[in-house]
């Protein structure tokens, strides 16, 4: 605990010295009368000031929340000695709102216990540390302050609220594991694929007797097997457009969480690649465990400003498996991301871009120069979009407030009608 | 300050002006929540009172002025405390206000006693003078020691 003199102590000492000296020098008892009370207050304050003893605890209610949820932080104080005035302030992390008071001032008698409650609302996903308390205890005369930081931090993880998705972008190719997608390959399955002449080893239940009767030779049915797909959600963490509390990264993370849940529910393999100033990845896998791993991973996504030129060579090959659908969630603000996506396509991967429109987050276009810069910027963005479309990569804008379902449907429509080109 | 201004007597000009500057410094200190202007303001108000005494006899109201000055000082420092924005319970606020008032009354009583002691004719003026100087030096030494030891004092 740190003891410090308050400005009051310095002021009172100065007034006492000034009054007493002036009274003596000028021979006026009235000035001594002015200075004497301050001298007496300082003397009594010094004699009675002692380090207060108290213990503080902080407990956080729920540590796993969804965006917009609230949790209570219970702060307990137990005074060992009487404290004239104890001030407590709970450090409220950035992007978190205290719905009531987060600072308190209270007098405490010796042995008294108090329980205070602070209600915190978490409007944005992320990982937060909650429970850091600043304490300041004052003596009877307010001449000293005893300060202490009490750290009871616990991690509160706030998961993004997910949009329910009814339709998903279907990957062109499937993997080898059993899933819910009808593969383009032929094998054991339910969906009819083709007819072919009987070969030794074919099972009798596959013989198509109608076709056999028509052609006069044994014909067997071929089926498409049901397989799963691999989807890699590529989150652009190079840059974001942000206006107040809303930003493109928020949308990207919410979309990633929703897509991961929906694809995993379909028994697909889902991986996440956060590509930016720092690069983090999760290899594609399936199951509920992967869902929780992705949920934990995406809330740690943050924009780290870096000028290092990164490309996909830093990414292990198993993170971007062949025939995986790479679904990029990006505001297309950084050329490095644009190049990385072009490289993904150049490798022959199946790619689609959900462009999180940054325009709603551009605040000031008031003067002519800003308007001109804005137009140039938009033209550059159009050029980047056109580059992807030439490569056969669908780019669909997603504006804040629009349902993600509609955007995914647009991506699917593009993929149905567009002819892929070689990079 | 008002007492200084009204009691300025033959020399209202300088005392009043100093008092006004002191009040302004006090207001600035409270507005900016800074201790130095508050201390300077209080000191200037005291100086204004001292100036107003020039050429005057013993002022019997000095104890009241001292009580008022202590009350103003208590309230001024209260308002610039770092935690002044924190919501405090009504009971605690009332208790503190009563304490400030008690300090002001106590100061007036102490001032009255000092005035009474000062008005009492005693022999041995030189000895009392030496005692007074020694006491003052002791107070000054304590003040200097305090200011040094409390700057960033940690335990």
């Amino acid at each position: 605990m740190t003891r410090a003199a308050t400005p009051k102590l310095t002021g009172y000492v100065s007034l006492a010295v000034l009054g007493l000296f002036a009274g003596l020098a000028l021979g006026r008892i009235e000035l001594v009368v002015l200075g004497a009370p301050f001298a007496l207050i300082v003397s009594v304050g010094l004699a009675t000031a002692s380090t207060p003893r108290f213990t503080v605890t902080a407990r956080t209610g729920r540590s796993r929340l969804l965006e917009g949820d609230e949790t209570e932080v219970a702060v307990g104080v137990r005074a060992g000695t009487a404290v004239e005035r104890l001030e407590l302030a709970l450090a409220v992390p950035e992007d978190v709102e205290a719905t009531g008071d987060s600072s308190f001032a209270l007098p405490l008698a010796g042995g008294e216990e108090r329980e205070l409650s602070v209600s915190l609302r978490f409007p944005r996903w992320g990982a937060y540390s909650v429970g850091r308390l600043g304490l300041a205890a004052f003596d009877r005369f307010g001449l000293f302050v005893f300060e202490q930081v009490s750290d009871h931090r616990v991690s509160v993880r706030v998961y993004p609220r997910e949009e329910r998705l009814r339709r998903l972008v279907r990957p062109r190719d499937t993997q080898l594991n059993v899933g819910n997608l009808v593969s383009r390959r032929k094998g054991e399955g339910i969906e009819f694929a083709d007819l072919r002449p009987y070969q030794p080893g074919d099972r009798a239940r596959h013989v198509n007797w109608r076709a056999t009767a028509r052609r006069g030779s044994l014909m067997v049915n071929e089926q498409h097997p049901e397989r799963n797909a691999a989807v890699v959600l590529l989150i652009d963490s190079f840059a974001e457009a942000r206006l107040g509390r809303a930003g493109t990264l928020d949308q990207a993370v919410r979309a990633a969480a929703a897509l991961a849940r929906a694809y995993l529910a379909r028994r697909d393999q889902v991986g996440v690649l956060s590509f930016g100033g720092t690069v983090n990845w999760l290899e594609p896998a399936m199951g509920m465990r992967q869902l929780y791993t992705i949920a934990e991973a995406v809330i740690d996504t943050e924009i780290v400003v870096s000028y290092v030129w990164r490309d996909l060579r830093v990414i292990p090959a198993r993170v971007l498996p062949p025939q995986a659908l790479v679904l990029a969630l990006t505001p297309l603000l950084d050329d490095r991301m644009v190049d990385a996506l072009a490289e993904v396509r150049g490798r022959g991967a199946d790619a689609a871009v959900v462009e999180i429109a940054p325009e709603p987050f551009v605040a000031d276009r008031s003067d002519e120069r800003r308007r001109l810069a804005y137009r140039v910027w938009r033209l550059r963005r159009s050029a980047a979009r056109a580059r992807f479309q030439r490569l056969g990569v669908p780019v669909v804008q997603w504006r804040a407030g629009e349902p993600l379902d509609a955007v995914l449907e647009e991506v699917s429509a593009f993929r149905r009608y567009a002819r892929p080109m070689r990079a | 300050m008002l007492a200084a201004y009204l009691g300025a007597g033959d020399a209202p000009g300088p005392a009043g002006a100093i008092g006004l500057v002191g009040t302004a410094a006090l207001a600035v200190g409270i507005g900016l929540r800074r201790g130095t202007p508050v201390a300077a303001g209080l000191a200037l108000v005291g100086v204004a009172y001292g100036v107003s005494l020039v050429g005057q006899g013993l002022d019997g109201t000095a104890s009241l002025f001292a009580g008022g000055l202590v009350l103003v000082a208590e309230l001024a420092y209260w308002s610039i405390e770092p935690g002044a924005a924190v919501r405090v319970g009504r009971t605690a606020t009332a208790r503190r206000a009563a304490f400030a008032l008690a300090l002001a009354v106590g100061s007036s009583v102490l001032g009255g006693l000092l005035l009474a002691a000062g008005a009492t004719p005693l022999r041995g003026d030189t000895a009392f003078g030496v005692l007074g100087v020694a006491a003052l030096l002791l107070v000054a030494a304590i003040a200097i020691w305090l200011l040094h030891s409390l700057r960033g004092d940690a335990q």
Side-chain angles (χ1 to χ4, degrees):
Chain A
M1 192 176 287
T2 306
R3 184 178 74 171
T6 60
K8 187 177 177 181
L9 178 62
T10 319
Y12 275 29
V13 168
S14 309
L15 289 169
V17 170
L18 184 71
L20 296 178
F21 267 111
L24 188 69
L26 301 173
R28 299 293 306 214
I29 186 76
E30 295 93 331
L31 298 179
V32 175
V33 168
L34 286 194
F38 293 105
L40 189 66
I41 290 170
V42 170
S43 309
V44 176
L46 283 174
T48 56
S50 61
T51 308
R53 288 202 315 273
F54 52 84
T55 51
V56 180
T57 56
R59 290 190 318 277
T60 306
R62 287 185 298 153
S63 59
R64 286 167 193 272
L65 308 166
L66 282 177
E67 275 181 315
D69 282 356
E70 286 188 16
T71 190
E72 296 281 326
V73 180
V75 180
V77 189
R78 189 178 187 285
T81 56
V83 183
E84 179 57 26
R85 188 162 59 103
L86 176 65
E87 290 182 3
L88 294 107
L90 178 73
V92 179
E94 201 182 335
D95 291 333
V96 179
E97 297 165 355
T99 50
D101 288 330
S102 63
S103 306
F104 303 90
L106 54 155
L108 291 168
E112 187 181 349
E113 285 185 43
R114 294 283 285 271
E115 183 95 2
L116 307 161
S117 179
V118 181
S119 189
L120 297 177
R121 186 173 169 273
F122 296 81
R124 185 178 184 256
W125 55 267
Y128 300 90
S129 280
V130 175
R132 193 175 158 85
L133 286 162
L135 305 160
F138 291 84
D139 70 322
R140 188 82 185 85
F141 292 89
L143 302 177
F144 294 102
V145 59
F146 301 87
E147 291 173 320
Q148 184 185 347
V149 173
S150 189
D151 205 343
H152 306 276
R153 277 183 289 185
V154 291
S155 176
V156 175
R157 302 186 75 80
V158 182
Y159 300 103
R161 279 201 185 273
E162 297 161 14
E163 195 177 321
R164 186 168 287 278
L165 301 174
R166 281 170 298 181
R167 299 201 61 163
L168 292 169
V169 178
R170 188 196 153 97
R172 284 214 176 87
D173 295 302
T174 51
Q175 303 289 312
L176 296 175
N177 295 326
V178 175
N180 293 347
L181 293 176
V182 177
S183 172
R184 289 194 296 178
R185 294 194 182 91
K186 290 169 188 171
E188 286 292 324
I190 297 170
E191 288 288 324
F192 173 79
D194 206 352
L195 284 173
R196 66 167 169 79
Y198 176 85
Q199 287 176 346
D202 281 342
R203 298 168 73 176
R205 62 192 282 254
H206 289 161
V207 173
N208 187 326
W209 295 108
R210 284 172 186 259
T212 301
R214 268 201 307 274
R215 298 195 182 189
S217 62
L218 274 173
M219 299 296 288
V220 290
N221 288 338
E222 285 185 316
Q223 287 95 18
H224 290 297
E226 282 73 39
R227 294 284 181 258
N228 72 355
V231 180
V232 177
L233 303 168
L234 177 55
I235 302 174
D236 179 357
S237 56
F238 277 113
E240 72 163 336
R242 176 164 285 278
L243 187 62
R245 287 200 165 164
T248 53
L249 185 67
D250 295 355
Q251 267 179 266
V253 166
R254 285 183 196 122
L259 287 165
R261 179 180 286 277
Y263 277 113
L264 286 169
R266 226 173 59 169
R267 303 184 62 184
D268 289 335
Q269 298 175 34
V270 181
V272 173
L273 171 58
S274 172
F275 194 59
T278 56
V279 181
N280 299 306
W281 63 76
L282 275 175
E283 290 175 33
M286 49 197 287
M288 285 303 285
R289 185 176 166 182
Q290 179 74 350
L291 177 62
Y292 291 124
T293 314
I294 289 174
E296 291 289 333
V298 292
I299 61 172
D300 289 326
T301 308
E302 57 182 351
I303 301 295
V304 177
V305 177
S306 164
Y307 299 100
V308 178
W309 189 266
R310 290 189 196 284
D311 56 30
L312 290 176
R313 276 176 297 184
V314 298
I315 311 297
R318 59 185 185 278
V319 177
L320 290 170
Q323 296 159 346
L325 166 66
V326 178
L327 199 52
L329 301 158
T330 169
L332 290 179
L333 289 172
D334 197 292
D335 288 341
R336 289 170 292 188
M337 190 65 185
V338 176
D339 284 358
L341 282 168
E343 194 182 330
V344 167
R345 184 70 192 110
R347 289 181 184 184
D350 183 16
V353 177
V354 173
E355 180 198 347
I356 300 162
E359 285 88 352
F361 305 105
V362 178
D364 190 8
R365 301 197 287 270
S366 51
D367 61 49
E368 192 55 40
R369 271 194 308 175
R370 285 172 199 267
R371 274 199 293 273
L372 182 64
Y374 180 70
R375 282 174 57 198
V376 171
W377 176 68
R378 289 196 66 178
L379 281 171
R380 287 191 59 186
R381 296 176 56 72
S382 297
R385 228 172 277 138
R387 182 179 168 193
F388 285 123
Q389 284 172 354
R390 278 198 303 276
L391 294 170
V393 176
V395 182
V396 178
Q397 269 212 332
W398 181 29
R399 290 186 166 268
E402 284 179 2
L404 183 58
D405 251 341
V407 177
L408 297 179
E409 180 54 40
E410 207 175 327
V411 173
S412 300
F414 183 98
R415 287 158 65 85
R416 267 198 298 275
Y417 300 115
R419 185 172 296 171
M421 294 172 69
R422 285 209 168 274
Chain B
M1 194 279 299
L2 195 61
Y5 188 78
L6 294 174
D10 292 338
I18 295 168
L20 282 175
V21 172
T23 311
L26 201 56
V28 168
I30 291 170
L32 299 177
R33 299 170 70 89
R34 290 278 180 276
T36 311
V38 168
L42 291 168
L44 282 172
V45 170
V47 169
Y49 176 70
V51 171
S52 75
L53 295 174
V54 174
Q56 304 288 313
L58 184 68
D59 181 15
T61 62
S63 58
L64 291 179
F65 187 80
L69 191 65
V70 167
L71 186 61
V72 169
E74 281 291 320
L75 296 178
Y77 280 110
W78 188 0
S79 64
I80 65 164
E81 273 175 9
V86 178
R87 198 156 59 84
V88 184
R90 194 171 288 177
T91 317
T93 308
R95 242 181 72 182
R96 181 144 187 206
F99 183 69
L101 202 61
L103 279 182
V105 172
S107 300
S108 288
V109 171
L110 176 70
L113 290 174
L114 284 171
L115 279 177
T120 308
L122 288 172
R123 289 184 182 178
D125 283 350
T126 315
F128 273 114
V130 171
L131 196 63
V133 170
L136 259 181
L137 289 175
L138 184 67
V139 167
I142 291 171
I144 291 164
W145 171 77
L146 266 176
L147 290 175
H148 274 283
S149 67
L150 293 175
R151 195 166 290 167
D153 183 15
Q155 75 179 53

